[in-house]
Structures are given as structure tokens and as C-alpha cells.
């Protein structure tokens, strides 16, 4: 189907006027199909990646986590939303707090019982400009949103958000990497295709799709260069997510971190930075420390050990990133190339660049591959001075505004809560994660994902954001706060991660107590296993 044929096929008016009860029934049909075809999605995903690398390093469990799991989350949030809408209600927030400068923080996660169990101590907030305003999606006007899918993941959550949060019919075009998995998605979403709410087109239809007359908007995930080109030629507004150089702010604490805490934080950052070969939007690239933090060298050594010894090898497959790696190595004399699993798999070396300067190449460029860097700012070894200078550095020097991580021990958080929340409010990032990873903001359908306060004339991480199940307007950023010793996905055991990806995906699809019990029980068993690589 061509882009024009897809546009002509859709019936956005019929979709916009479909009742909440009917849409809820359609969501349930799609959820059943997702369970039925999840393995096919995983197979298509890992075949693409393994073929590009030249070895079978990606596994079925990872394929499930990369494709089915994100869509499952936003479908379940849509299910909860339309259950409420069927009763004439909207999702209600947990609480609302007024901040400085006319900003309101709205806690939107967790709400539902099973979410609360999975979340543990994690809490999610929308930061909204002005008075909070929710819009019933069923009252939003009819239209068509064209979605250009990402190349690193075939799980197009923005497609589902456009359908159920924006009340729009959708044209979906995959990246060429994901042409095969998109065929599976078409089977999963067949109930919506039959209702003329959704149409899938070929990767080659990109230019034709963005040039269509009559679109409500274009959703794009990819490079900023391509996004700017689309924006110049498009005949509809562009909502885009284009990556960036995402920092980890390590706040000097009121106490020393234990050896276990240092290892845990290093493993958390390294695990997500290796995942998908480093092609993860929002993952930490630049670690921002204080030059006077007494545990700085200990932490950097823990990062090195986490990379080379404590986490297993993952292949980098994304096209063009080998040239990116060469550029970082050529421009950064302190770069270290670390071998993982003795270098027995191709494209698994990791680059670590400590001791950057503020105007270095590695500060001004994104590495969409397995590269980490560190910069030590000249600050006092205390909270206020560090946050003042780290916030300025991140806002003024680092490339982009997509994701930011903050690591702070629980004691320091309690003692300096007001100052830390002030920094969260001031940091110019669309997704801020405290003691957890920024991609978890993306995975949370009750939050938003995108850049922050960027203009369409000169954006890096993108303009606008992909919406939230509560349908709050004027969202500036999303914030996810967790416990310092949270239960993270750490790549310390291959079988553990294979089971976790698989079981977590099936729980995300069904939200059944049986799938939760299986996931939790397996985690207990796997938690006792030793390194298997």
C-alpha cells in the first residue's frame, strides 16, 4: 500500500466517533493478538540484528523485550483508560503539587494495584506548565497522524498513543531495519486495520508519507538531521524524538556509598548502555562527577569492571555507528577500548572515555553505540555547589535535552530533598530519572517522552512529546523517582536476563497474577545463580 492509498483507505471520522466500549473491545482483541504473535515479533527482530552483526548473539527473550513489551505497556494503559472512559471518567492522578515558576508536578504513576507491586518505591510525575488540564481523548477531533518508526526498535508506542490518546487514525511506516517485524505488527493490529483506523505502508514510502496533504501531524523517531529535512518538506506539524547526549549526575552524598552501592549503580548504567548494542534512546552516555568526590576513582573503576567483567557481551548492529566510534577514538586521547568476554563476539568492544573537558568532542556529540564518557567538574564535595554547576553544564554544554539520570543515596535525598527537586525542575530534559534509567520514562505510558523546551528551528532532541494516558496538556517533562537500591535489570547473568525479558513481557501483555507469580518466582531462583559467561 502506498502512502496516498493508506490515507485514502482510512476513515478518521468513524474512528473518532467510535465509542469507548467499542475501543476497549478492540484493545482487548489486539492484546490477545500480541500474545499470539509475540514470538514471531521476537524472531523477526533478532534475525535482523544477528544478520547485521554476523553472529547469533541476540536471543528470543531480548527480542520479546525489545518489541512486544513496550507495546504491551501502552496497550494496558489504554485498556485502563478506556475502562474509565466507558464510565464517563478520566484517569485520576495520585497527587498534585505546585512548584516554582508556574510549574505543577502531577503524580500519575503508579495507580493500579499490579503497577504498584511492580513499581515498588518508584513514582512517576508529569511536570505541567500552568494549571493542570486534562482532555478527554474522545473529544479530540478526527484526523490522521503519520508515524515514522524508529530504526533501533520496532515497537512503535507512538502509534498506539496516536490511536488511543489522540483519537486519530494512523499511517505507520517502519524503518527499513524493521520491515519484517512490521508485517507481524500488521497481523497483531488487524482489528484496527479492518476498522480503517490504521494502515501500514512500506519503508520506501517515507517521502511520500511526509508530503501527504491533510495530515494532522507527523510523529518521527530518528536523527535530528532527518527530522529537520522532514520538517522543511512536510505539510503537517512534526512531533519528533531525536536522541542526544544523556548525562548521569552523581550527587556527592552526605555519606560514603558502600562498595555494594557503587557496584549496583555502575552495573545499572552499564547494563542499559550495552543493551541493544548501545542503540537505546535516553541511555546514559556522559557521567558527570565532582572532581572532589572522594569515591570518584572507585566508581570509575567499578564502571570499567562492570563493562569488561561483570556484564556480558552485546553486539552493536546499528548502521553507521562504526564511523561514530572511530570519530570518538580519534578525538578523545583518554579513550579506553575494553574487551568483553575476551572479545570473542564481533562488535562488542566498549569505549570508555574518562576525564573529559567541557568543550570536548564527546560532550558535543551523541554516541548511538557502546560508548561511555565521564567529566569531573570543579565543584565542592557537597550537594548545592555540585548541583548548581552540574545543572549549568548539562543545560549549556551537553548535546540535546532528551534524558537525564540522577544518582543520589537515600540519606542525602532525605536531607536535601528541596534542593534536589529544585535541580530536577531546572534541568532542561524531557525525561529525568532519579536512581533509575531514563529509558524507563519512555516505557511508562503514564508519562511522556521527548525533548524539552526546544524550538522547531534549532532542535536537537526534538519538538513536542509523545502523550500520556492521563491526557494532560502542556507537559514540559516527565520525572521518575526510585529508591537508591532499586531492583534494576542488570546484565550479570544471561539466563537470568533471558527469563526476565520473557516473563516480564508476558506479564506486561496479560497483567495476570499467574504471569506475575512466574516472573517473581523465577527472579528468586535466578538471583542465586552465578555468572554464566
Amino acid at each position: 500500500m502506498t502512502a496516498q492509498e493508506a490515507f485514502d483507505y482510512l476513515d478518521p471520522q468513524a474512528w473518532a466517533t467510535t465509542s469507548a466500549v467499542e475501543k476497549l473491545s478492540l484493545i482487548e482483541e489486539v492484546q490477545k493478538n500480541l500474545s499470539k504473535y509475540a514470538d514471531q515479533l521476537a524472531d523477526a527482530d533478532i534475525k535482523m540484528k544477528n544478520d547485521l552483526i554476523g553472529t547469533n548473539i541476540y536471543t528470543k527473550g531480548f527480542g520479546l523485550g525489545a518489541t512486544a513489551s513496550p507495546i504491551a505497556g501502552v496497550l494496558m494503559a489504554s485498556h485502563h483508560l478506556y475502562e474509565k472512559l466507558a464510565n464517563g471518567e478520566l484517569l485520576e492522578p495520585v497527587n498534585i503539587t505546585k512548584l516554582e515558576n508556574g510549574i505543577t508536578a502531577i503524580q500519575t504513576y503508579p495507580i493500579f494495584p499490579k503497577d504498584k507491586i511492580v513499581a515498588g518505591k518508584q513514582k512517576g510525575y508529569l511536570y505541567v506548565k500552568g494549571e493542570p488540564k486534562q482532555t478527554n481523548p474522545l473529544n479530540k477531533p478526527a484526523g490522521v497522524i503519520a508515524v515514522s518508526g524508529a530504526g533501533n526498535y520496532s515497537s512503535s508506542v507512538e502509534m498506539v498513543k496516536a490511536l488511543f490518546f489522540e483519537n486519530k487514525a494512523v499511517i505507520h511506516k517502519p524503518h527499513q531495519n524493521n520491515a519484517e517485524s512490521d508485517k507481524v505488527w500488521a497481523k497483531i493490529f488487524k482489528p484496527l486495520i479492518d476498522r480503517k483506523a490504521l494502515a501500514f505502508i512500506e519503508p520506501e514510502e517515507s517521502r511520500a508519507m511526509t508530503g501527504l496533504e491533510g495530515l494532522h501531524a507527523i510523529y518521527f523517531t530518528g536523527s535530528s538531521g532527518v527530522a529537520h529535512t522532514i520538517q522543511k518538506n512536510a505539510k503537517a506539524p512534526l512531533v519528533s524524538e531525536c536522541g542526544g547526549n544523556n548525562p548521569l549526575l552523581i550527587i556527592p552524598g552526605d555519606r560514603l556509598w558502600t562498595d555494594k552501592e557503587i557496584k549496583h549503580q555502575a552495573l545499572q548504567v552499564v547494563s542499559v548502555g550495552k543493551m541493544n548494542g548501545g542503540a537505546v534512546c535516553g541511555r546514559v552516555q556522559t557521567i558527570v562527577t565532582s572532581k572532589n568526590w572522594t569515591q570518584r576513582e572507585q566508581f570509575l573503576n567499578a564502571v570499567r569492571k562492570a563493562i569488561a567483567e561483570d556484564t556480558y557481551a552485546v553486539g552493536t548492529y546499528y548502521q553507521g555507528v562504526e564511523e561514530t566510534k572511530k570519530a570518538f577514538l580519534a578525538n578523545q586521547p583518554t579513550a579506553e577500548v575494553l574487551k568483553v568476554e575476551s572479545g570473542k563476539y564481533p562488535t562488542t568492544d566498549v569505549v570508555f572515555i574518562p576525564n573529559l573537558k567541557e568543550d570536548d568532542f564527546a560532550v558535543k556529540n551523541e554516541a548511538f553505540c557502546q560508548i561511555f564518557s565521564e567529566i569531573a567538574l570543579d565543584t565542592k564535595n557537597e550537594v548545592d555547589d555540585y548541583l548548581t554547576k552540574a545543572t549549568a553544564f548539562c543545560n549549556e554544554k551537553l548535546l540535546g535535552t532528551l534524558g537525564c539520570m540522577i544518582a543520589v543515596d537515600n540519606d542525602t535525598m532525605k536531607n536535601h530533598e528541596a534542593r534536589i527537586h529544585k535541580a530536577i525542575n531546572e534541568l532542561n530534559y524531557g525525561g529525568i530519572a532519579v536512581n533509575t534509567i531514563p529509558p524507563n520514562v519512555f516505557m511508562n505510558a503514564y508519562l511522556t517522552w521527548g525533548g524539552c523546551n526546544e524550538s522547531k528551528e534549532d532542535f536537537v532532541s526534538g519538538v513536542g512529546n509523545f502523550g500520556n494516558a492521563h491526557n494532560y496538556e502542556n507537559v514540559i517533562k516527565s520525572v521518575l523517582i526510585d529508591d537508591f537500591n532499586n531492583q534494576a535489570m542488570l546484565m550479570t547473568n544471561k539466563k537470568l536476563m533471558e527469563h526476565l525479558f520473557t516473563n516480564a513481557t508476558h506479564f506486561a501483555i496479560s497483567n495476570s497474577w499467574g504471569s506475575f507469580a512466574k516472573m517473581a518466582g523465577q527472579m528468586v531462583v535466578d538471583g542465586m545463580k552465578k555468572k554464566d559467561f
Side-chain angles (χ1 to χ4, degrees):
M1 187 179 285
T2 67
Q4 189 62 57
E5 287 170 343
F7 184 84
D8 294 340
Y9 170 79
L10 294 174
D11 190 343
Q13 189 63 43
W15 177 246
T17 56
T18 300
S19 71
V21 172
E22 288 179 276
K23 286 183 176 175
L24 181 59
S25 177
L26 289 166
I27 290 168
E28 290 171 349
E29 286 186 57
V30 172
Q31 287 175 310
K32 289 176 183 176
N33 284 347
L34 182 56
S35 181
K36 179 179 179 180
Y37 294 112
D39 283 351
Q40 290 185 25
L41 278 176
D43 289 339
D45 183 68
I46 64 175
K47 183 180 187 305
M48 177 270 291
K49 292 169 183 174
N50 288 334
D51 285 353
L52 287 170
I53 294 169
T55 189
N56 292 326
I57 195 169
Y58 282 93
T59 62
K60 174 70 73 69
F62 180 84
L64 287 169
T67 56
S69 189
I71 290 286
V74 74
L75 282 172
M76 189 57 68
S78 299
H79 192 283
H80 289 315
L81 170 62
Y82 277 83
E83 283 181 322
K84 287 283 190 179
L85 292 174
N87 292 317
E89 303 170 348
L90 289 170
L91 292 175
E92 295 181 359
V94 179
N95 59 60
I96 297 176
T97 305
K98 297 289 185 180
L99 305 177
E100 296 178 351
N101 303 322
I103 305 300
T104 302
I106 306 168
Q107 186 184 342
T108 58
Y109 178 84
I111 302 173
F112 299 98
K114 290 172 187 174
D115 287 340
K116 290 179 181 179
I117 293 171
V118 173
K121 296 181 180 180
Q122 192 177 90
K123 296 178 180 179
Y125 302 83
L126 297 174
Y127 278 39
V128 173
K129 186 174 182 179
E131 288 296 319
K133 180 183 178 183
Q134 284 178 284
T135 300
N136 186 326
L138 295 175
N139 294 334
K140 294 182 179 180
V144 176
I145 291 177
V147 177
S148 183
N152 57 326
Y153 285 106
S154 73
S155 196
S156 184
V157 298
E158 57 271 31
M159 175 181 73
V160 184
K161 291 181 176 184
L163 284 159
F164 295 107
F165 299 173
E166 298 302 324
N167 207 29
K168 301 295 187 291
V170 172
I171 300 171
H172 186 267
K173 181 205 73 66
H175 187 279
Q176 61 186 11
N177 283 352
N178 301 312
E180 292 305 310
S181 57
D182 216 52
K183 294 175 183 176
V184 184
W185 283 121
K187 291 193 285 188
I188 292 168
F189 283 93
K190 188 175 184 299
L192 298 182
I193 296 172
D194 292 344
R195 294 294 291 260
K196 296 188 176 183
L198 177 62
F200 289 83
I201 61 176
E202 299 299 317
E204 295 76 18
E205 288 292 303
S206 180
R207 182 178 291 273
M209 183 187 76
T210 57
L212 285 171
E213 296 274 4
L215 292 176
H216 173 80
I218 299 168
Y219 284 2
F220 171 80
T221 301
S223 74
S224 58
V226 174
H228 279 287
T229 299
I230 291 173
Q231 184 173 259
K232 289 177 183 176
N233 299 322
K235 297 176 181 177
L238 179 68
V239 179
S240 54
E241 184 266 285
C242 306
N245 186 339
N246 310 295
L248 161 60
L249 280 65
I250 298 183
I251 298 179
D254 290 350
R255 63 167 177 82
L256 295 178
W257 290 3
T258 65
D259 292 348
K260 183 179 179 181
E261 288 169 341
I262 283 182
K263 181 178 180 180
H264 176 80
Q265 295 300 327
L267 283 171
Q268 184 168 224
V269 172
V270 168
S271 292
V272 72
K274 278 189 176 184
M275 204 171 289
N276 207 39
V280 178
C281 298
R283 67 93 178 174
V284 168
Q285 178 178 317
T286 300
I287 301 166
V288 183
T289 62
S290 168
K291 189 179 294 184
N292 294 304
W293 182 38
T294 56
Q295 295 181 290
R296 174 177 170 250
E297 286 300 330
Q298 184 184 356
F299 182 78
L300 297 185
N301 286 331
V303 170
R304 291 183 179 96
K305 189 172 184 294
I307 291 169
E309 301 176 26
D310 295 339
T311 57
Y312 54 84
V314 182
T316 294
Y317 70 90
Y318 203 77
Q319 298 97 320
V321 293
E322 283 305 310
E323 293 304 313
T324 300
K325 183 182 288 187
K326 289 177 183 177
F328 273 78
L329 290 172
N331 285 281
Q332 298 295 160
T334 63
E336 307 167 13
V337 179
L338 303 176
K339 297 285 183 183
V340 186
E341 294 191 55
S342 302
K344 66 180 179 180
Y345 297 107
T347 73
T348 59
D349 290 353
V350 177
V351 175
F352 181 51
I353 313 168
N355 206 27
L356 294 178
K357 296 180 176 61
E358 290 197 18
D359 293 314
D360 272 0
F361 178 89
V363 170
K364 299 176 180 178
N365 288 273
E366 178 184 13
F368 207 50
C369 56
Q370 298 185 75
I371 294 177
F372 300 90
S373 58
E374 181 262 354
I375 184 166
L377 300 179
D378 188 8
T379 80
K380 297 176 184 177
N381 188 34
E382 53 93 11
V383 174
D384 183 61
D385 190 55
Y386 170 80
L387 282 177
T388 298
K389 292 173 182 175
T391 299
F393 167 75
C394 292
N395 286 349
E396 298 167 13
K397 295 283 188 176
L398 272 181
L399 179 78
T401 67
L402 184 60
C404 173
M405 179 177 174
I406 297 172
V408 54
D409 67 80
N410 293 336
D411 296 324
T412 303
M413 182 68 173
K414 182 179 179 180
N415 295 339
H416 303 273
E417 190 168 5
R419 180 64 185 88
I420 292 167
H421 279 285
K422 182 175 183 290
I424 291 170
N425 199 10
E426 292 173 347
L427 282 161
N428 195 39
Y429 289 88
I432 298 177
V434 180
N435 292 329
T436 185
I437 55 174
N440 282 341
V441 177
F442 161 78
M443 292 285 287
N444 193 311
Y446 302 96
L447 303 177
T448 57
W449 188 241
C452 185
N453 293 321
E454 295 200 45
S455 68
K456 65 180 182 179
E457 291 77 24
D458 192 29
F459 64 82
V460 172
S461 295
V463 175
N465 56 59
F466 302 127
N468 62 94
H470 281 71
N471 283 267
Y472 277 105
E473 298 181 5
N474 302 316
V475 178
I476 298 171
K477 66 179 73 172
S478 290
V479 178
L480 200 58
I481 300 177
D482 209 339
D483 186 80
F484 187 56
N485 300 298
N486 66 73
Q487 292 294 317
M489 298 184 78
L490 307 181
M491 297 171 57
T492 54
N493 182 286
K494 291 183 178 181
K495 286 184 179 178
L496 180 154
M497 288 300 289
E498 184 72 3
H499 293 152
L500 184 55
F501 278 132
T502 301
N503 293 332
T505 298
H506 288 299
F507 173 70
I509 294 171
S510 69
N511 256 206
S512 71
W513 286 115
S515 59
F516 176 79
K518 183 176 181 180
M519 176 177 67
Q522 190 67 58
M523 286 173 67
V524 172
V525 173
D526 288 342
M528 295 182 287
K529 292 179 178 177
K530 295 181 180 179
K531 183 171 141 179
D532 60 354
F533 55 91

